[in-house]
Amino acid sequence: MSEEHFDRTGAKKALEQFAIDGSVKEIRPYGNGHINDTFLAVFQSGDGEKRYILQRMNHNIFKNPPLLMENVVGVTDYLRKAILTQGGDPDRETLNVVRTLEGKSYYEDQGHSFWRVFLYVEGTLCLEKVESPKDFYNGGAAFGDFQRMLAEYPAGELHETIPNFHNTPSRFQDFRRALEADRAGRAALVRPEIEFALSREEEISVLTDLLKKGELPLRVTHNDTKLNNILFDRATGRALCVIDLDTVMPGLSLYDFGDSIRFGASTGAEDERDLSRIELDLELFEAFTEGFLKGYGGKLTRREIEMFPMGAKLMTYECGIRFLGDFLEGDVYFKVHRENHNLDRARTQFKLVADMEKKWDQMVSIVEKHRAGICG
Ligand code: ADP
Ligand code: GN1
Ligand code: MG
């Protein structure tokens, strides 16, 4: 969100509802998320300056913010204990929800906007692009670790914040509906992209079918494992804190593996316009595979590991049809910052899917090499 478009008064009023010492010195839009409105807030008190993240939750997408916050509080409380047991620092290694003056985890204003505040994790940086295989290895370890730490979390207590979030067949139906309705009158402009999406229908249910057959386990997963949902420690380069917990729900480990590859192992940005710059970087694919396996600490089944390439391909394809579907609906879901932004994003995803198809055997060999080291 640009400086001029943000409601500073609304944000300031919301901040006043939270139990924070001192007075607001600065508020400004922050980060590059596609969903929530995020602000950095600086408070000044007798002890000096302290920073916070203020977010207006996207209420159109997350229909029930109070239940969503129940998930976030439940998961962060649980992680806090696990981090303490491991001798870590829970103020920096997980999100910390700041309560309102009434002790609640969110504040609903008179216009029905829902706000929340987290401690700002100091000394970290957020990467929009992988800078070295080492970073991506660390990112893989952080997401693997995240799932491992939540392995015993009572999954039944988690609310489904967006139903069928990574159910690719259901996403395909949504895409078909958007195409048939053609609400923004754009379908005629994107025939090759539509053709690409429809021609891969046969494969879309591979993972959900394995889940139904009991061949893949349901776990507690993050479901939005973009690189910019990890905070890296500036001093050590270590992936320190997994953020953006809105979609933590029961899911497949492959969703988290695949979504990370889709974003981080691409040679170009998610919205790159020059498609010649978009490929799957196999070195990065390998680095993430190794890191994820390491973080998981031997807990993944053989079948799960074997399906890594399919996870990568389906999550990339799924994101592509979501971007294209949103383009057809007139850009109602993802934030867009320029004309055809969602279309550009869909094109990079499809280019990446096509490149994964070309590099399929190499992806399989890489996974097999590392799997063999773990489960024979
Ligand atoms: P969205 O759902 O819109 O992606 P995120 O929760 O991922 O929102 O936040 C957007 C960005 O704000 C992140 O990518 C990160 O740069 C920054 N951010 C969020 N929470 C924190 C935090 N607790 N400390 C430091 N930076 C944060
Ligand atoms: C959104 O919130 P953010 O920007 O981390 C989206 C993801 C997509 C991603 C594509 C709740 O993630 O599912 O993969 O954009 N989050 C939601 O960049 O829909
Ligand atoms: Mg995010």
Side-chain angles (χ1 to χ4, degrees):
M1 192 187 328
S2 66
E3 263 303 323
E4 59 284 11
H5 285 119
F6 103 82
D7 167 16
R8 189 177 301 274
T9 318
K12 193 155 182 280
K13 274 201 170 147
L15 270 177
E16 283 163 6
Q17 302 304 315
F18 288 83
I20 303 177
D21 283 343
S23 55
V24 183
K25 191 178 161 202
E26 187 193 340
I27 315 177
R28 62 177 162 89
Y30 195 74
N32 290 308
H34 292 342
I35 305 295
N36 295 305
D37 293 340
T38 302
F39 309 92
L40 176 73
V42 185
F43 275 72
Q44 177 79 51
S45 75
D47 301 334
E49 278 184 9
K50 198 158 175 201
R51 303 202 283 178
Y52 298 85
I53 288 287
L54 167 72
Q55 283 182 324
R56 177 164 46 205
M57 292 178 254
N58 190 324
H59 191 183
N60 289 330
I61 290 180
F62 295 108
K63 304 289 183 210
N64 195 328
L67 290 187
L68 181 154
M69 286 311 289
E70 248 180 66
N71 281 3
V72 173
V73 168
V75 166
T76 51
D77 282 353
Y78 187 91
L79 288 175
R80 197 176 174 82
K81 287 185 202 126
I83 292 164
L84 276 172
T85 313
Q86 293 174 24
D89 175 359
D91 286 347
R92 296 188 77 229
E93 293 174 30
T94 186
L95 286 175
N96 285 272
V97 176
V98 176
R99 300 290 172 152
T100 65
L101 295 167
E102 292 175 351
K104 287 166 84 172
S105 58
Y106 62 88
Y107 164 66
E108 182 182 357
D109 71 16
Q110 282 166 353
H112 302 294
S113 281
F114 286 84
W115 301 82
R116 66 180 171 200
V117 174
F118 296 112
L119 296 184
Y120 183 89
V121 187
E122 295 291 347
T124 57
L125 51 88
C126 185
L127 300 176
E128 293 302 324
K129 181 163 179 15
V130 172
E131 283 165 8
S132 72
K134 183 91 195 302
D135 288 343
F136 206 35
Y137 171 90
N138 284 333
F143 282 129
D145 208 32
F146 181 83
Q147 285 194 16
R148 187 185 46 74
M149 283 200 283
L150 290 175
E152 307 298 323
Y153 190 84
E157 286 178 13
L158 284 171
H159 308 287
E160 205 175 7
T161 53
I162 301 182
N164 292 317
F165 193 60
H166 281 309
N167 181 326
T168 313
S170 152
R171 292 291 189 182
F172 187 81
Q173 294 313 326
D174 294 345
F175 172 71
R176 261 197 196 288
R177 270 193 291 275
L179 178 57
E180 275 153 27
D182 193 15
R183 262 196 1 228
R186 292 171 167 178
L189 308 171
V190 290
R191 285 291 160 207
E193 288 78 10
I194 292 170
E195 183 49 39
F196 185 98
L198 296 179
S199 67
R200 273 133 183 103
E201 185 179 359
E202 251 178 36
E203 261 178 335
I204 58 177
S205 47
V206 174
L207 296 182
T208 39
D209 285 351
L210 287 174
L211 173 65
K212 273 190 216 139
K213 283 195 264 171
E215 290 186 32
L216 289 173
L218 201 60
R219 301 183 182 276
V220 173
T221 50
H222 182 283
N223 296 308
D224 188 2
T225 51
K226 283 203 304 206
L227 188 70
N228 67 10
N229 286 330
I230 300 178
L231 301 175
F232 285 81
D233 192 316
R234 268 179 206 278
T236 63
R238 209 181 109 218
L240 185 73
C241 180
V242 170
I243 62 169
D244 204 345
L245 305 177
D246 299 339
T247 50
V248 174
M249 287 180 278
L252 296 179
S253 56
L254 282 326
Y255 298 158
D256 285 3
F257 178 85
D259 197 49
S260 285
I261 296 297
R262 156 194 100 65
F263 188 86
S266 169
T267 50
E270 185 180 74
D271 59 357
E272 172 61 59
R273 274 182 275 213
D274 177 358
L275 291 182
S276 70
R277 294 195 178 165
I278 302 290
E279 271 188 48
L280 174 76
D281 181 324
L282 285 169
E283 192 187 351
L284 293 181
F285 177 80
E286 180 157 16
F288 191 87
T289 299
E290 281 190 81
F292 195 68
L293 290 173
K294 158 94 184 347
Y296 239 107
K299 291 248 171 12
L300 288 164
T301 66
R302 178 183 182 133
R303 197 81 171 114
E304 284 178 294
I305 304 173
E306 283 170 350
M307 295 313 285
F308 278 6
M310 187 52 81
K313 180 171 164 184
L314 276 190
M315 287 303 101
T316 310
Y317 169 82
E318 182 189 280
C319 201
I321 59 172
R322 289 177 64 198
F323 286 143
L324 189 59
D326 197 31
F327 176 77
L328 293 173
E329 293 195 309
D331 307 316
V332 293
Y333 186 97
F334 297 102
K335 287 185 184 179
V336 288
H337 307 293
R338 62 178 194 237
E339 210 183 327
N340 294 342
H341 209 164
N342 271 318
L343 175 59
D344 293 338
R345 290 171 178 151
R347 285 179 170 150
T348 62
Q349 302 308 291
F350 291 162
K351 173 73 197 292
L352 206 52
V353 168
D355 199 47
M356 287 178 185
E357 288 169 351
K358 278 194 210 140
K359 294 175 176 160
W360 192 256
D361 292 347
Q362 288 155 283
M363 287 164 78
V364 170
S365 313
I366 289 171
V367 170
E368 182 52 25
K369 182 171 103 191
H370 294 286
R371 187 197 62 73
I374 294 178
C375 43

